[in-house]
Coordinates of all heavy atoms in Angstrom, one line a residue:
M981 N 20.8 13.1 6.5 CA 19.7 12.1 6.6 C 20.3 10.8 6.1 O 21.0 10.7 5.1 CB 18.6 12.5 5.7 CG 17.4 11.5 5.7 SD 16.0 12.0 4.7 CE 15.4 13.4 5.6
T982 N 20.1 9.7 6.8 CA 20.6 8.4 6.4 C 19.8 7.8 5.3 O 18.6 8.3 5.1 CB 20.6 7.5 7.6 OG1 19.3 7.2 8.0 CG2 21.4 8.0 8.8
D983 N 20.3 6.8 4.7 CA 19.5 6.0 3.7 C 18.2 5.5 4.3 O 17.2 5.5 3.7 CB 20.3 4.9 3.1 CG 21.4 5.4 2.2 OD1 21.4 6.5 1.7 OD2 22.3 4.6 1.9
K984 N 18.3 5.0 5.5 CA 17.2 4.4 6.2 C 16.1 5.5 6.4 O 14.9 5.3 6.1 CB 17.6 3.8 7.6 CG 16.4 3.3 8.4 CD 16.9 2.8 9.7 CE 15.7 2.3 10.6 NZ 16.1 1.9 11.9
D985 N 16.5 6.7 6.9 CA 15.6 7.8 7.1 C 14.9 8.2 5.8 O 13.7 8.4 5.7 CB 16.3 9.0 7.7 CG 16.7 8.7 9.1 OD1 16.2 7.8 9.8 OD2 17.7 9.4 9.6
A986 N 15.7 8.3 4.7 CA 15.2 8.7 3.4 C 14.2 7.7 2.9 O 13.1 8.0 2.4 CB 16.3 8.9 2.4
Y987 N 14.6 6.4 3.0 CA 13.7 5.3 2.6 C 12.4 5.3 3.4 O 11.3 5.1 2.8 CB 14.4 4.0 2.7 CG 13.7 2.8 2.0 CD1 13.7 2.6 0.7 CD2 13.0 1.9 2.8 CE1 13.1 1.6 0.1 CE2 12.3 0.9 2.2 CZ 12.4 0.7 0.9 OH 11.7 -0.4 0.3
T988 N 12.5 5.5 4.7 CA 11.3 5.4 5.5 C 10.4 6.6 5.2 O 9.2 6.4 5.1 CB 11.7 5.5 7.0 OG1 12.6 4.4 7.3 CG2 10.5 5.5 7.9
K989 N 10.9 7.8 4.9 CA 10.1 8.9 4.6 C 9.4 8.7 3.2 O 8.2 9.0 3.0 CB 10.9 10.2 4.5 CG 11.3 10.7 5.8 CD 11.9 12.1 5.7 CE 12.3 12.6 7.1 NZ 11.2 13.0 7.9
K990 N 10.1 8.0 2.3 CA 9.6 7.7 1.0 C 8.4 6.7 1.2 O 7.3 6.9 0.6 CB 10.6 7.1 0.1 CG 10.2 6.7 -1.3 CD 11.4 6.1 -2.1 CE 10.9 5.5 -3.4 NZ 12.0 4.9 -4.1
L991 N 8.6 5.7 2.0 CA 7.5 4.8 2.2 C 6.3 5.4 2.9 O 5.1 5.1 2.5 CB 8.0 3.6 3.1 CG 8.9 2.5 2.5 CD1 9.2 1.5 3.5 CD2 8.2 1.9 1.3
E992 N 6.5 6.3 3.9 CA 5.5 7.0 4.5 C 4.6 7.8 3.6 O 3.4 7.8 3.6 CB 6.0 7.8 5.7 CG 6.5 7.1 6.9 CD 7.3 7.9 7.9 OE1 7.6 9.1 7.6 OE2 7.5 7.4 9.0
A993 N 5.3 8.5 2.7 CA 4.6 9.3 1.7 C 3.8 8.4 0.7 O 2.7 8.7 0.4 CB 5.6 10.1 0.9
Q994 N 4.4 7.3 0.3 CA 3.7 6.4 -0.6 C 2.5 5.8 0.1 O 1.4 5.6 -0.5 CB 4.6 5.3 -1.1 CG 4.0 4.4 -2.1 CD 3.6 5.2 -3.4 OE1 4.4 5.8 -4.0 NE2 2.3 5.1 -3.8
M995 N 2.6 5.5 1.4 CA 1.5 4.9 2.1 C 0.3 5.9 2.2 O -0.8 5.5 2.0 CB 1.9 4.6 3.6 CG 2.9 3.4 3.7 SD 2.1 1.8 3.3 CE 1.0 1.7 4.7
K996 N 0.6 7.2 2.4 CA -0.4 8.2 2.4 C -1.1 8.3 1.0 O -2.3 8.4 0.9 CB 0.1 9.6 2.8 CG 0.5 9.7 4.2 CD 1.1 11.0 4.6 CE 1.6 11.0 6.0 NZ 2.2 12.3 6.4
E997 N -0.3 8.2 -0.1 CA -0.9 8.2 -1.4 C -1.8 7.0 -1.6 O -2.9 7.1 -2.2 CB 0.2 8.3 -2.4 CG -0.3 8.4 -3.9 CD 0.8 8.5 -4.9 OE1 1.9 9.1 -4.6 OE2 0.6 8.0 -6.0
W998 N -1.3 5.8 -1.2 CA -2.1 4.6 -1.4 C -3.4 4.7 -0.6 O -4.5 4.3 -1.1 CB -1.3 3.4 -1.0 CG -0.3 3.0 -2.0 CD1 -0.3 3.1 -3.4 CD2 0.9 2.3 -1.8 NE1 0.8 2.6 -4.0 CE2 1.6 2.1 -3.0 CE3 1.5 1.8 -0.6 CZ2 2.8 1.4 -3.1 CZ3 2.7 1.2 -0.7 CH2 3.4 1.0 -1.9
Q999 N -3.3 5.2 0.6 CA -4.5 5.4 1.4 C -5.5 6.3 0.7 O -6.7 6.1 0.7 CB -4.2 5.9 2.8 CG -5.4 5.9 3.7 CD -6.2 4.6 3.8 OE1 -5.5 3.6 4.1 NE2 -7.5 4.6 3.6
A1000 N -5.0 7.4 0.1 CA -5.9 8.3 -0.6 C -6.6 7.7 -1.8 O -7.8 7.8 -2.0 CB -5.1 9.6 -1.0
N1001 N -5.8 6.8 -2.5 CA -6.4 6.1 -3.6 C -7.4 5.1 -3.2 O -8.5 4.9 -3.8 CB -5.3 5.4 -4.4 CG -4.4 6.3 -5.2 OD1 -4.9 7.4 -5.6 ND2 -3.2 6.0 -5.5
I1002 N -7.2 4.4 -2.1 CA -8.1 3.5 -1.5 C -9.4 4.2 -1.1 O -10.5 3.7 -1.4 CB -7.5 2.7 -0.3 CG1 -6.5 1.7 -0.8 CG2 -8.6 1.9 0.5 CD1 -5.7 1.1 0.3
D1003 N -9.3 5.4 -0.5 CA -10.4 6.2 -0.2 C -11.2 6.6 -1.4 O -12.5 6.6 -1.4 CB -10.0 7.4 0.6 CG -9.5 7.1 2.0 OD1 -9.7 5.9 2.5 OD2 -8.8 8.0 2.6
K1004 N -10.6 6.9 -2.5 CA -11.2 7.3 -3.7 C -12.0 6.1 -4.3 O -13.1 6.2 -4.8 CB -10.2 7.8 -4.8 CG -9.7 9.1 -4.5 CD -8.6 9.5 -5.6 CE -7.9 10.7 -5.3 NZ -6.8 11.0 -6.2
M1005 N -11.3 4.9 -4.3 CA -12.0 3.7 -4.8 C -13.2 3.4 -3.9 O -14.2 2.9 -4.4 CB -11.0 2.6 -4.8 CG -10.0 2.7 -5.9 SD -8.8 1.3 -5.9 CE -7.4 2.1 -6.6
R1006 N -13.1 3.6 -2.6 CA -14.2 3.3 -1.7 C -15.4 4.2 -2.1 O -16.5 3.8 -2.1 CB -13.8 3.5 -0.3 CG -15.0 3.1 0.7 CD -14.5 3.1 2.2 NE -13.5 4.0 2.5 CZ -13.6 5.3 2.9 NH1 -14.8 5.8 3.1 NH2 -12.6 6.0 3.2
A1007 N -15.1 5.5 -2.4 CA -16.2 6.4 -2.8 C -16.8 5.9 -4.1 O -18.1 6.0 -4.2 CB -15.6 7.8 -2.9
Q1008 N -16.0 5.5 -5.0 CA -16.6 4.9 -6.3 C -17.4 3.7 -6.0 O -18.5 3.5 -6.6 CB -15.4 4.6 -7.3 CG -14.7 5.7 -7.9 CD -13.6 5.3 -8.8 OE1 -13.2 4.2 -8.8 NE2 -13.1 6.3 -9.6
A1009 N -17.0 2.9 -5.1 CA -17.7 1.7 -4.8 C -19.1 2.0 -4.2 O -20.1 1.4 -4.5 CB -16.9 0.8 -3.8
E1010 N -19.1 3.0 -3.4 CA -20.4 3.4 -2.8 C -21.4 4.0 -3.8 O -22.6 3.8 -3.6 CB -20.1 4.5 -1.7 CG -19.4 3.9 -0.5 CD -19.0 5.0 0.5 OE1 -19.2 6.2 0.2 OE2 -18.4 4.6 1.5
K1011 N -20.9 4.5 -4.9 CA -21.7 5.0 -6.0 C -22.1 4.0 -7.0 O -23.1 4.1 -7.8 CB -21.0 6.2 -6.7 CG -20.8 7.4 -5.9 CD -20.0 8.4 -6.7 CE -19.6 9.6 -5.8 NZ -18.8 10.6 -6.6
A1012 N -21.4 2.8 -7.0 CA -21.6 1.8 -8.0 C -23.0 1.1 -7.7 O -23.5 1.1 -6.6 CB -20.5 0.8 -7.9
Q1013 N -23.5 0.5 -8.8 CA -24.7 -0.3 -8.6 C -24.4 -1.5 -7.8 O -23.3 -1.9 -7.6 CB -25.1 -0.8 -10.0 CG -25.6 0.4 -10.9 CD -26.1 -0.1 -12.3 OE1 -26.1 -1.3 -12.5 NE2 -26.4 0.8 -13.1
A1014 N -25.4 -2.1 -7.2 CA -25.3 -3.2 -6.3 C -24.4 -4.3 -6.7 O -23.6 -4.8 -6.0 CB -26.7 -3.7 -5.9
D1015 N -24.6 -4.8 -8.0 CA -23.8 -5.9 -8.5 C -22.3 -5.6 -8.6 O -21.5 -6.4 -8.3 CB -24.3 -6.4 -9.8 CG -24.3 -5.3 -10.9 OD1 -24.4 -4.1 -10.6 OD2 -24.2 -5.7 -12.1
A1016 N -22.0 -4.3 -8.9 CA -20.6 -3.9 -9.0 C -20.0 -3.6 -7.6 O -18.8 -3.7 -7.4 CB -20.5 -2.7 -9.9
Q1017 N -20.8 -3.3 -6.6 CA -20.3 -3.0 -5.3 C -19.5 -4.2 -4.7 O -18.5 -4.0 -4.1 CB -21.4 -2.6 -4.4 CG -21.8 -1.2 -4.5 CD -22.8 -0.7 -3.5 OE1 -23.6 -1.5 -3.0 NE2 -22.9 0.5 -3.2
G1018 N -20.0 -5.4 -4.9 CA -19.3 -6.6 -4.4 C -17.9 -6.7 -5.0 O -17.0 -7.0 -4.2
Q1019 N -17.8 -6.4 -6.3 CA -16.5 -6.5 -6.9 C -15.5 -5.4 -6.3 O -14.4 -5.7 -6.0 CB -16.6 -6.3 -8.4 CG -17.2 -7.5 -9.1 CD -17.3 -7.3 -10.6 OE1 -17.5 -6.1 -11.0 NE2 -17.1 -8.3 -11.3
Y1020 N -16.1 -4.2 -6.2 CA -15.3 -3.1 -5.6 C -14.8 -3.5 -4.2 O -13.7 -3.3 -3.8 CB -16.1 -1.8 -5.5 CG -16.1 -1.0 -6.7 CD1 -17.2 -0.9 -7.6 CD2 -15.1 -0.2 -7.1 CE1 -17.3 -0.1 -8.7 CE2 -15.1 0.6 -8.2 CZ -16.2 0.6 -9.0 OH -16.2 1.4 -10.1
E1021 N -15.8 -4.0 -3.4 CA -15.4 -4.3 -2.0 C -14.4 -5.4 -1.9 O -13.5 -5.4 -1.1 CB -16.7 -4.7 -1.2 CG -17.6 -3.6 -0.9 CD -16.9 -2.5 -0.1 OE1 -16.1 -2.7 0.8 OE2 -17.2 -1.3 -0.4
E1022 N -14.4 -6.4 -2.8 CA -13.4 -7.4 -2.8 C -12.0 -6.9 -3.1 O -11.0 -7.2 -2.5 CB -13.8 -8.5 -3.8 CG -12.9 -9.8 -3.8 CD -13.0 -10.5 -2.4 OE1 -14.0 -10.5 -1.8 OE2 -11.9 -11.0 -2.0
H1023 N -12.0 -6.0 -4.1 CA -10.7 -5.4 -4.5 C -10.2 -4.5 -3.4 O -9.0 -4.5 -3.1 CB -10.8 -4.6 -5.8 CG -11.1 -5.5 -7.0 ND1 -10.3 -6.5 -7.4 CD2 -12.2 -5.5 -7.8 CE1 -10.8 -7.1 -8.5 NE2 -12.0 -6.5 -8.7
L1024 N -11.1 -3.8 -2.8 CA -10.7 -2.9 -1.7 C -10.2 -3.7 -0.5 O -9.2 -3.3 0.2 CB -11.8 -2.0 -1.2 CG -12.2 -0.9 -2.2 CD1 -13.5 -0.2 -1.8 CD2 -11.1 0.1 -2.3
K1025 N -10.8 -4.8 -0.2 CA -10.3 -5.7 0.8 C -8.9 -6.2 0.6 O -8.0 -6.2 1.5 CB -11.2 -6.9 1.0 CG -10.9 -7.9 2.1 CD -11.9 -9.0 2.1 CE -11.5 -10.1 3.1 NZ -12.5 -11.2 3.1
E1026 N -8.6 -6.5 -0.7 CA -7.3 -7.0 -1.1 C -6.3 -5.8 -0.9 O -5.2 -6.0 -0.4 CB -7.3 -7.4 -2.5 CG -5.9 -7.8 -3.0 CD -5.9 -8.2 -4.5 OE1 -7.0 -8.6 -5.0 OE2 -4.9 -8.1 -5.1
L1027 N -6.7 -4.6 -1.3 CA -5.8 -3.5 -1.2 C -5.5 -3.1 0.3 O -4.3 -2.8 0.6 CB -6.4 -2.2 -1.9 CG -6.3 -2.3 -3.4 CD1 -7.1 -1.1 -4.0 CD2 -4.9 -2.3 -3.9
R1028 N -6.5 -3.2 1.1 CA -6.3 -2.9 2.5 C -5.3 -3.9 3.1 O -4.5 -3.6 4.0 CB -7.6 -2.9 3.2 CG -8.5 -1.7 2.9 CD -9.8 -1.8 3.7 NE -10.7 -0.8 3.2 CZ -11.9 -1.0 2.6 NH1 -12.3 -2.3 2.5 NH2 -12.6 -0.1 2.2
A1029 N -5.4 -5.2 2.7 CA -4.5 -6.2 3.3 C -3.1 -5.9 2.8 O -2.2 -6.0 3.6 CB -5.0 -7.6 2.8
K1030 N -2.9 -5.6 1.6 CA -1.6 -5.2 1.1 C -1.0 -4.0 1.8 O 0.1 -3.9 2.1 CB -1.6 -5.0 -0.4 CG -2.0 -6.2 -1.3 CD -0.8 -7.1 -1.4 CE -1.2 -8.2 -2.3 NZ -0.2 -9.3 -2.3
R1031 N -1.9 -3.0 2.0 CA -1.5 -1.8 2.7 C -1.1 -2.1 4.1 O -0.1 -1.6 4.6 CB -2.7 -0.8 2.7 CG -2.3 0.5 3.5 CD -3.5 1.2 4.1 NE -4.3 0.3 4.9 CZ -5.6 0.3 5.0 NH1 -6.3 1.3 4.4 NH2 -6.3 -0.5 5.8
D1032 N -1.8 -3.0 4.8 CA -1.5 -3.4 6.1 C -0.1 -4.2 6.2 O 0.7 -3.9 7.1 CB -2.6 -4.3 6.7 CG -3.9 -3.5 7.0 OD1 -3.9 -2.3 6.9 OD2 -4.9 -4.2 7.2
E1033 N 0.1 -5.0 5.2 CA 1.4 -5.7 5.1 C 2.5 -4.6 4.9 O 3.6 -4.8 5.6 CB 1.5 -6.6 3.9 CG 0.6 -7.9 4.0 CD 0.6 -8.7 2.8 OE1 1.6 -8.6 2.0 OE2 -0.4 -9.4 2.5
M1034 N 2.3 -3.6 4.1 CA 3.3 -2.6 3.9 C 3.5 -1.8 5.2 O 4.7 -1.5 5.5 CB 2.8 -1.7 2.8 CG 3.8 -0.7 2.3 SD 5.1 -1.5 1.3 CE 6.5 -1.0 2.3
Q1035 N 2.5 -1.6 5.9 CA 2.6 -0.8 7.2 C 3.5 -1.6 8.2 O 4.3 -1.1 8.9 CB 1.2 -0.5 7.8 CG 1.3 0.3 9.1 CD 1.9 1.7 8.8 OE1 1.4 2.4 7.9 NE2 2.9 2.1 9.5
V1036 N 3.3 -2.9 8.2 CA 4.1 -3.8 9.1 C 5.6 -3.7 8.7 O 6.4 -3.5 9.6 CB 3.6 -5.3 9.0 CG1 4.6 -6.2 9.7 CG2 2.3 -5.4 9.7
K1037 N 5.8 -3.7 7.4 CA 7.2 -3.6 7.0 C 7.8 -2.2 7.3 O 9.0 -2.1 7.7 CB 7.3 -3.8 5.5 CG 7.0 -5.2 5.1 CD 8.0 -6.2 5.7 CE 7.7 -7.6 5.3 NZ 8.5 -8.6 5.9
L1038 N 7.0 -1.2 7.2 CA 7.4 0.2 7.5 C 7.7 0.3 9.0 O 8.8 0.8 9.4 CB 6.4 1.2 7.1 CG 6.7 2.7 7.4 CD1 7.9 3.1 6.8 CD2 5.5 3.5 7.0
D1039 N 6.9 -0.3 9.8 CA 7.1 -0.3 11.3 C 8.4 -1.1 11.6 O 9.2 -0.6 12.5 CB 5.9 -1.0 12.0 CG 4.7 -0.1 11.9 OD1 4.8 1.1 11.6 OD2 3.6 -0.7 12.2
E1040 N 8.7 -2.2 10.9 CA 9.9 -3.0 11.1 C 11.1 -2.1 10.8 O 12.1 -2.1 11.5 CB 9.9 -4.2 10.3 CG 9.0 -5.3 10.8 CD 9.0 -6.6 9.9 OE1 9.8 -6.7 9.0 OE2 8.1 -7.4 10.1
L1041 N 11.0 -1.4 9.7 CA 12.1 -0.5 9.2 C 12.4 0.5 10.3 O 13.6 0.8 10.6 CB 11.8 0.2 7.9 CG 12.0 -0.6 6.6 CD1 11.5 0.2 5.5 CD2 13.5 -0.8 6.5
Q1042 N 11.4 1.1 10.9 CA 11.6 2.1 11.8 C 12.2 1.6 13.1 O 12.9 2.3 13.8 CB 10.3 2.9 12.1 CG 9.8 3.6 10.9 CD 8.4 4.2 11.0 OE1 7.6 3.6 11.7 NE2 8.2 5.3 10.3
R1043 N 11.9 0.3 13.5 CA 12.4 -0.2 14.7 C 13.8 -0.8 14.6 O 14.5 -0.9 15.7 CB 11.4 -1.3 15.2 CG 10.1 -0.8 15.8 CD 9.4 -2.0 16.5 NE 9.3 -3.2 15.7 CZ 8.3 -3.5 14.9 NH1 7.3 -2.7 14.8 NH2 8.3 -4.6 14.2
N1044 N 14.2 -1.3 13.5 CA 15.4 -2.1 13.4 C 16.7 -1.2 13.4 O 16.7 -0.1 12.9 CB 15.4 -2.9 12.1 CG 14.6 -4.2 12.4 OD1 15.0 -5.0 13.2 ND2 13.5 -4.3 11.7
Q1045 N 17.7 -1.8 13.9 CA 19.0 -1.2 13.9 C 19.6 -1.2 12.5 O 19.2 -2.0 11.6 CB 20.0 -2.0 14.9 CG 19.4 -2.0 16.3 CD 19.3 -0.6 16.8 OE1 20.2 0.3 16.6 NE2 18.3 -0.3 17.6
T1046 N 20.6 -0.5 12.3 CA 21.3 -0.3 11.0 C 21.8 -1.7 10.4 O 21.6 -1.9 9.2 CB 22.4 0.7 11.0 OG1 21.9 1.9 11.6 CG2 23.0 0.9 9.7
A1047 N 22.3 -2.5 11.2 CA 22.8 -3.8 10.8 C 21.8 -4.7 10.1 O 22.0 -5.4 9.1 CB 23.5 -4.6 11.9
A1048 N 20.6 -4.6 10.6 CA 19.5 -5.5 10.1 C 18.7 -4.7 9.0 O 17.8 -5.3 8.4 CB 18.6 -5.9 11.2
W1049 N 19.0 -3.5 8.8 CA 18.2 -2.6 7.9 C 18.1 -3.2 6.5 O 17.1 -3.2 5.9 CB 18.8 -1.2 7.9 CG 18.0 -0.3 7.2 CD1 16.9 0.4 7.6 CD2 18.1 0.1 5.8 NE1 16.4 1.2 6.7 CE2 17.1 1.1 5.5 CE3 19.0 -0.2 4.8 CZ2 17.0 1.7 4.3 CZ3 18.9 0.4 3.5 CH2 17.9 1.3 3.3
N1050 N 19.2 -3.7 6.0 CA 19.2 -4.2 4.6 C 18.3 -5.4 4.5 O 17.6 -5.6 3.5 CB 20.6 -4.6 4.1 CG 21.4 -3.4 3.9 OD1 20.9 -2.3 3.5 ND2 22.7 -3.5 4.1
D1051 N 18.2 -6.3 5.5 CA 17.3 -7.4 5.4 C 15.9 -7.0 5.5 O 15.0 -7.5 4.7 CB 17.6 -8.4 6.6 CG 19.0 -9.0 6.5 OD1 19.5 -9.1 5.4 OD2 19.5 -9.4 7.6
V1052 N 15.6 -6.0 6.4 CA 14.2 -5.6 6.5 C 13.8 -4.8 5.2 O 12.7 -4.9 4.7 CB 14.0 -4.7 7.7 CG1 12.7 -4.1 7.8 CG2 14.3 -5.5 9.0
K1053 N 14.7 -4.0 4.7 CA 14.5 -3.3 3.5 C 14.1 -4.2 2.3 O 13.2 -3.9 1.5 CB 15.7 -2.4 3.1 CG 15.5 -1.6 1.8 CD 16.7 -0.8 1.5 CE 16.5 0.1 0.3 NZ 16.4 -0.7 -1.0
A1054 N 14.8 -5.3 2.2 CA 14.4 -6.3 1.1 C 13.0 -6.7 1.3 O 12.2 -6.8 0.3 CB 15.4 -7.5 1.2
G1055 N 12.5 -7.0 2.5 CA 11.1 -7.4 2.7 C 10.2 -6.2 2.4 O 9.1 -6.4 1.8
A1056 N 10.6 -5.0 2.7 CA 9.8 -3.8 2.5 C 9.7 -3.6 0.9 O 8.6 -3.2 0.4 CB 10.3 -2.6 3.2
D1057 N 10.8 -3.8 0.2 CA 10.8 -3.6 -1.2 C 9.8 -4.6 -1.9 O 9.0 -4.2 -2.8 CB 12.2 -3.9 -1.8 CG 13.1 -2.7 -1.5 OD1 12.7 -1.6 -1.2 OD2 14.3 -3.0 -1.7
K1058 N 9.7 -5.8 -1.4 CA 8.8 -6.8 -1.9 C 7.4 -6.4 -1.6 O 6.5 -6.4 -2.5 CB 9.1 -8.2 -1.4 CG 8.0 -9.2 -1.8 CD 8.4 -10.6 -2.0 CE 7.4 -11.6 -2.4 NZ 6.2 -11.1 -3.0
A1059 N 7.1 -6.0 -0.4 CA 5.8 -5.5 0.0 C 5.4 -4.3 -0.9 O 4.2 -4.2 -1.3 CB 5.7 -5.2 1.4
W1060 N 6.3 -3.4 -1.1 CA 6.1 -2.2 -1.9 C 5.7 -2.6 -3.3 O 4.7 -2.1 -3.9 CB 7.4 -1.4 -2.0 CG 7.3 -0.2 -2.8 CD1 7.2 -0.1 -4.2 CD2 7.5 1.2 -2.4 NE1 7.2 1.2 -4.6 CE2 7.4 2.0 -3.5 CE3 7.7 1.8 -1.2 CZ2 7.5 3.4 -3.5 CZ3 7.8 3.1 -1.1 CH2 7.7 3.9 -2.2
D1061 N 6.4 -3.6 -3.9 CA 6.1 -4.0 -5.3 C 4.7 -4.7 -5.3 O 4.0 -4.4 -6.3 CB 7.2 -5.0 -5.8 CG 8.5 -4.4 -6.0 OD1 8.6 -3.1 -6.2 OD2 9.5 -5.1 -6.1
D1062 N 4.4 -5.5 -4.3 CA 3.1 -6.2 -4.3 C 2.0 -5.1 -4.2 O 1.0 -5.2 -4.9 CB 3.0 -7.1 -3.1 CG 3.9 -8.3 -3.2 OD1 4.4 -8.6 -4.4 OD2 4.1 -9.1 -2.2
M1063 N 2.2 -4.1 -3.3 CA 1.1 -3.1 -3.2 C 1.0 -2.3 -4.4 O -0.1 -2.0 -4.8 CB 1.5 -2.2 -2.0 CG 0.5 -1.1 -1.7 SD -1.1 -1.8 -1.2 CE -2.1 -0.3 -1.2
S1064 N 2.1 -1.9 -5.0 CA 2.0 -1.2 -6.3 C 1.3 -1.9 -7.4 O 0.5 -1.3 -8.1 CB 3.5 -0.8 -6.8 OG 4.1 0.0 -5.9
K1065 N 1.6 -3.2 -7.5 CA 0.9 -4.0 -8.5 C -0.6 -4.1 -8.2 O -1.4 -3.9 -9.1 CB 1.5 -5.4 -8.6 CG 0.9 -6.2 -9.7 CD 1.5 -7.6 -9.8 CE 0.9 -8.5 -10.9 NZ -0.5 -8.3 -11.2
A1066 N -0.9 -4.3 -6.9 CA -2.3 -4.4 -6.5 C -3.1 -3.1 -6.8 O -4.2 -3.1 -7.3 CB -2.4 -4.8 -5.1
M1067 N -2.4 -2.0 -6.5 CA -3.0 -0.7 -6.8 C -3.2 -0.5 -8.3 O -4.3 0.0 -8.7 CB -2.1 0.4 -6.2 CG -2.8 1.8 -6.2 SD -4.3 1.9 -5.2 CE -3.7 1.8 -3.6
Q1068 N -2.3 -0.8 -9.1 CA -2.4 -0.6 -10.5 C -3.5 -1.5 -11.1 O -4.3 -1.1 -11.9 CB -1.1 -1.0 -11.2 CG 0.0 0.0 -11.0 CD 1.4 -0.5 -11.5 OE1 1.5 -1.6 -12.1 NE2 2.4 0.4 -11.4
D1069 N -3.6 -2.8 -10.6 CA -4.6 -3.7 -11.1 C -6.0 -3.2 -10.6 O -7.0 -3.2 -11.4 CB -4.4 -5.1 -10.5 CG -3.2 -5.8 -11.1 OD1 -2.7 -5.3 -12.1 OD2 -2.8 -6.8 -10.5
A1070 N -6.1 -2.6 -9.4 CA -7.4 -2.1 -9.0 C -7.8 -0.9 -9.8 O -9.0 -0.8 -10.2 CB -7.3 -1.7 -7.5
W1071 N -6.9 0.0 -10.1 CA -7.3 1.2 -10.9 C -7.8 0.7 -12.3 O -8.7 1.3 -12.8 CB -6.1 2.1 -11.0 CG -6.1 3.1 -9.9 CD1 -5.0 3.3 -9.0 CD2 -7.1 4.1 -9.5 NE1 -5.4 4.3 -8.1 CE2 -6.6 4.8 -8.4 CE3 -8.3 4.4 -10.0 CZ2 -7.3 5.7 -7.7 CZ3 -9.1 5.3 -9.3 CH2 -8.6 6.0 -8.2
K1072 N -7.1 -0.3 -12.8 CA -7.6 -0.8 -14.1 C -9.0 -1.3 -14.1 O -9.8 -1.1 -14.9 CB -6.7 -1.9 -14.6 CG -5.3 -1.4 -15.1 CD -4.4 -2.5 -15.5 CE -3.0 -2.1 -15.8 NZ -2.1 -3.2 -16.0
R1073 N -9.3 -2.0 -13.0 CA -10.7 -2.6 -12.8 C -11.7 -1.5 -12.5 O -12.8 -1.6 -12.9 CB -10.7 -3.6 -11.7 CG -9.9 -4.8 -12.0 CD -10.0 -5.8 -10.9 NE -8.9 -6.8 -11.0 CZ -8.1 -7.2 -10.1 NH1 -8.1 -6.6 -8.9 NH2 -7.1 -8.1 -10.3
F1074 N -11.3 -0.5 -11.7 CA -12.2 0.6 -11.3 C -12.4 1.6 -12.4 O -13.4 2.4 -12.4 CB -11.8 1.3 -10.1 CG -11.9 0.4 -8.8 CD1 -10.9 0.4 -7.9 CD2 -13.0 -0.4 -8.6 CE1 -11.0 -0.4 -6.8 CE2 -13.1 -1.2 -7.5 CZ -12.1 -1.2 -6.6
S1075 N -11.5 1.7 -13.4 CA -11.6 2.7 -14.4 C -12.6 2.3 -15.5 O -12.9 1.2 -15.8 CB -10.3 3.0 -15.0 OG -9.4 3.5 -14.0

């Protein structure tokens, strides 16, 4: 397995985990009182946008040739860091 394949599999697994967390937060939002629901929805909107950015980077990784892989990986790493931070911040707010 190449570095690219391993990295792609790692991103795919993380994307599934993030989606599961977003689904859990959405369930919490549905149970929240009306005033808190707006806050939940705003945070979920942000997380979905970050997740979508991460998916774009993952798609780019899967399409690119080995020579461009390092450039695309750098962008994916940044998107990964952004998504991780957004997810941590959201869990702090939802907890």
Side-chain angles (χ1 to χ4, degrees):
M981 179 180 293
T982 67
D983 287 343
K984 178 182 173 185
D985 292 337
Y987 188 80
T988 300
K989 286 189 182 291
K990 180 179 171 182
L991 284 180
E992 289 170 345
Q994 186 62 57
M995 290 289 292
K996 288 179 184 176
E997 182 179 328
W998 284 331
Q999 183 58 52
N1001 287 336
I1002 289 171
D1003 292 342
K1004 287 178 191 176
M1005 288 179 207
R1006 184 174 27 95
Q1008 287 178 346
E1010 290 172 359
K1011 293 177 186 178
Q1013 294 180 3
D1015 59 332
Q1017 278 184 335
Q1019 289 179 328
Y1020 275 104
E1021 288 302 322
E1022 188 61 34
H1023 295 300
L1024 287 170
K1025 182 179 175 181
E1026 177 185 336
L1027 286 173
R1028 287 182 193 116
K1030 296 283 185 191
R1031 179 206 52 211
D1032 292 347
E1033 289 174 28
M1034 190 70 238
Q1035 186 64 53
V1036 167
K1037 294 298 181 185
L1038 179 59
D1039 292 344
E1040 287 177 11
L1041 276 173
Q1042 292 171 331
R1043 285 191 314 265
N1044 279 296
Q1045 300 298 321
T1046 305
W1049 187 84
N1050 288 329
D1051 294 335
V1052 176
K1053 182 181 178 293
D1057 286 343
K1058 174 149 180 19
W1060 177 297
D1061 291 343
D1062 291 347
M1063 181 66 189
S1064 293
K1065 183 178 180 328
M1067 187 63 69
Q1068 289 171 359
D1069 291 348
W1071 273 121
K1072 287 177 188 174
R1073 291 181 197 128
F1074 289 138
S1075 298

